[in-house]
């Protein structure tokens, strides 16, 4: 439906929240820890879309691994979908590799599913659907 948010991996979320508040001239409206993903998140409104900052909470977190390999920067792009299960089925049938077989709980009241970046030109894609 639209780009719901861009996820940006950062080393120090408190410093980055200050930086993005200055950059975007808007306050961070929500911070949330997603323990199952090993991340702390912080969200900003930017028009129709959002910016999600992600900091690892431990060394085995996917964000810690990403930063170790590539450094800070854009981590994923999230597309909003109306029916995540139908979209997962559609993409799996086309040969895309889903990183989770059933939708899981993400930050910001969303059900989410990630697609393996090897099938999407190196871009980690997140599908997200607002929870009812
Ligand atoms: Zn995200």
């Amino acid at each position: 439906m639209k780009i719901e948010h861009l996820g940006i991996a950062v080393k120090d979320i408190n410093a980055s929240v200050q930086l993005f508040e200055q950059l975007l001239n808007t306050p961070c409206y929500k911070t949330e820890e997603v323990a199952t993903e090993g991340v702390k998140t912080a969200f900003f409104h930017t028009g129709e879309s959002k910016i999600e900052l992600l900091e690892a909470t431990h060394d085995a977190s996917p964000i810690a691994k990403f930063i170790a390999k590539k450094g800070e920067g854009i981590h994923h792009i999230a597309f909003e979908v109306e029916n995540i299960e139908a979209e997962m089925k559609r993409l799996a049938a086309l040969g895309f590799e889903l990183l989770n077989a059933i939708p899981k709980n993400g930050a910001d009241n969303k059900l989410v599913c990630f697609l393996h970046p090897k099938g999407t030109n190196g871009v980690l894609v997140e599908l997200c659907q607002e929870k009812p």
Side-chain angles (χ1 to χ4, degrees):
M1 285 156 55
K2 67 176 183 188
I3 294 176
E4 214 281 334
H5 64 268
L6 281 181
I8 299 175
V10 302
K11 288 181 183 163
D12 177 346
I13 201 160
N14 294 322
S16 295
V17 163
Q18 283 189 13
L19 179 77
F20 275 79
E21 283 181 340
Q22 290 180 330
L23 176 69
L24 301 172
N25 197 24
T26 186
C28 168
Y29 71 91
K30 179 189 243 185
T31 57
E32 185 179 349
E33 184 166 340
V34 186
T36 51
E37 299 295 304
V39 293
K40 272 194 238 171
T41 64
F43 286 89
F44 299 85
H45 289 295
T46 52
E48 284 216 318
S49 304
K50 297 165 188 162
I51 298 291
E52 174 186 33
L53 303 180
L54 304 124
E55 182 196 79
T57 54
H58 56 75
D59 287 347
S61 160
I63 295 300
K65 290 180 191 160
F66 178 88
I67 287 178
K69 221 163 116 185
K70 297 187 172 172
E72 294 181 297
I74 294 180
H75 175 257
H76 65 270
I77 179 165
F79 296 103
E80 183 169 55
V81 297
E82 265 176 72
N83 181 335
I84 194 165
E85 286 178 0
E87 199 58 22
M88 287 167 68
K89 224 176 259 177
R90 186 184 74 83
L91 292 168
L94 289 171
F96 289 92
E97 187 182 336
L98 307 179
L99 292 182
N100 45 297
I102 53 168
K104 57 183 181 179
N105 290 314
D108 205 26
N109 195 42
K110 298 283 196 292
L111 288 172
V112 304
C113 176
F114 287 92
L115 304 187
H116 199 293
K118 79 181 177 200
T120 51
N121 290 132
V123 178
L124 180 60
V125 171
E126 173 185 344
L127 308 175
C128 64
Q129 178 189 338
E130 187 84 17
K131 278 195 241 174

